Amino acid sequence: MDPELYSQGDPFVQWKWLRANDPVHWHRPTELPGFWSLTRYHDIRTAYRDAETFSSAQGILLRPADHGADPGGGRTLALTDAPRHKQLRGLVDGWFAVRSVRALEAEMQGIAERVVNTALEQGSCDFVTDVAARIPLFVICRMMGVPESDWEHLYDLTSQAFAAGDPLTRRFAHLNILGYFETLQAEKAQKPGDDLVSVLATAEVEGERLSADDVILNCDNLLVGGTENTRIAAAGGMLALLEHPGQWQAVRDGHELLPSTVEEVLRWTSTATHIMRTAVRPTEIHGQRIEVGDKVVFWLPSANRDESVFTDPDTFDVHRTPNRHLSLGFGEHFCLGSMLARVELRLLYGELLRQGVHVELDGEPKLLDSIVVNGPESMPVRMKAA
Ligand code: HEM
């Protein structure tokens, strides 16, 4: 649970030991509540499938007990159970379906091209903030109906909200994001357009309009969900490709490898470090009794290196197939933006390949100190067109 383990240590050694020796491990309470750790692929998938036992409504991330309940609990898409979850998801899932994402692809390609060209003009830049962060942010802003003139403003706010450093600056930026959506949702409720915020601002769930707070929290969920993991996965994937030049060369030689490369980047980076559930009825896993109220934590990067499922799990292999990783979750709460994330990664790497961009590290990448998301926080690079 030490955030520095993820920035400076090697959590995979501990996860490997847990998978082999203690797959349902009780972690005693600290400032965090006590919880069960699941580290094996099949145990996590089985628990994911059983949403009637493992609830999302009390939060999906470990939180210090003195921070109180998660404010989104029972209200946002990620933090609700059936039947409310199904209704909320039904409001927005059409926007994330294959057909809708395909319809946006040309625009997304334009965004990827613009971002890569700006980085090329700069020559030296931070791949995380200057390249990887902008594409998913601009795409989700476009889908949410944020006017293009505000995209840079939201980019600044999300950069501050995700940045390391002063927690007060982060919290202030996050409050500003909520404030931004408070205004936007009021405007969209008055004058709806063809966008996600309008859908939420005018929607009814269980026969009632969503409250303004529920709309704002769901907007925040979409913005954060839509940007944070994709940004880190895109940068972590680039880092893996730079660290395995033979693999990057294989993709350059055969662009048809892009889809399997994206899947391997998702498995390898596994940016969502943990996902939590709360048992709402007693159950047993490998003979361990789980009581009502117990927290159960799924360590997704561990599942994705489970040697009983993946051949040579510690090898980064862009040819890997099948590749049924759990980086995007599984079951009812399977990542809403899975298709979008895959297309964004494919378009970014595809654009670098199309222009024959040479990318090289220009300093040490810094990894995030966090138990929630893992991967590069900053990654200085030099980029040059062929
Ligand atoms: C590489 C990128 C991404 C990764 C690794 C990722 C990971 C995940 C994971 C692990 C979950 C499951 C949470 C759970 O089990 O409780 C999830 C859910 C979700 N993701 Fe993603 N995500 C990514 C990109 C996106 C994008 C682009 C969006 C766009 C809006 C998005 C929106 C969401 C939402 C709204 C949920 C909640 C779905 C629900 O509870 O029904 N994600 N994501």
Side-chain angles (χ1 to χ4, degrees), residues 48 60 77-78 85 89 96 140 221-222 225-226 229-230 233 266 271-272 275 277 300 327-329 332-337 340-341 344:
Y48 249 137
I60 60 166
L77 192 50
H85 170 253
R89 193 156 168 137
F96 295 91
I140 197 71
N221 194 188
L222 287 174
N229 275 292
T230 320
L266 287 169
T271 53
I275 292 291
R277 295 290 188 259
L300 301 182
S327 299
L328 300 159
E332 291 182 14
H333 288 272
F334 181 66
C335 178
L336 180 72
L340 194 61
E344 287 170 351

Side-chain angles (χ1 to χ4, degrees), residues 283-326:
T283 189
E284 235 183 66
I285 311 176
H286 296 305
Q288 291 284 14
R289 175 118 178 131
I290 314 286
E291 300 293 351
V292 171
D294 281 2
K295 308 282 178 206
V296 181
V297 167
F298 310 158
W299 296 100
L300 301 182
S302 172
N304 288 334
R305 300 280 184 107
D306 188 326
E307 38 293 283
S308 72
V309 175
F310 299 96
T311 314
D312 294 333
D314 297 324
T315 302
F316 177 71
D317 179 6
V318 296
H319 297 88
R320 185 181 293 279
T321 167
N323 193 349
R324 296 193 190 93
H325 58 76
L326 298 181

Side-chain angles (χ1 to χ4, degrees), residues 41 43 94 106 134 137 176 191 220 237 266 280 299 313 323 341 367:
Y41 180 94
D43 293 342
R134 284 183 192 268
L137 182 89
N176 275 328
K191 202 164 166 255
D220 182 56
L266 287 169
V280 288
W299 296 100
N323 193 349
L367 301 183

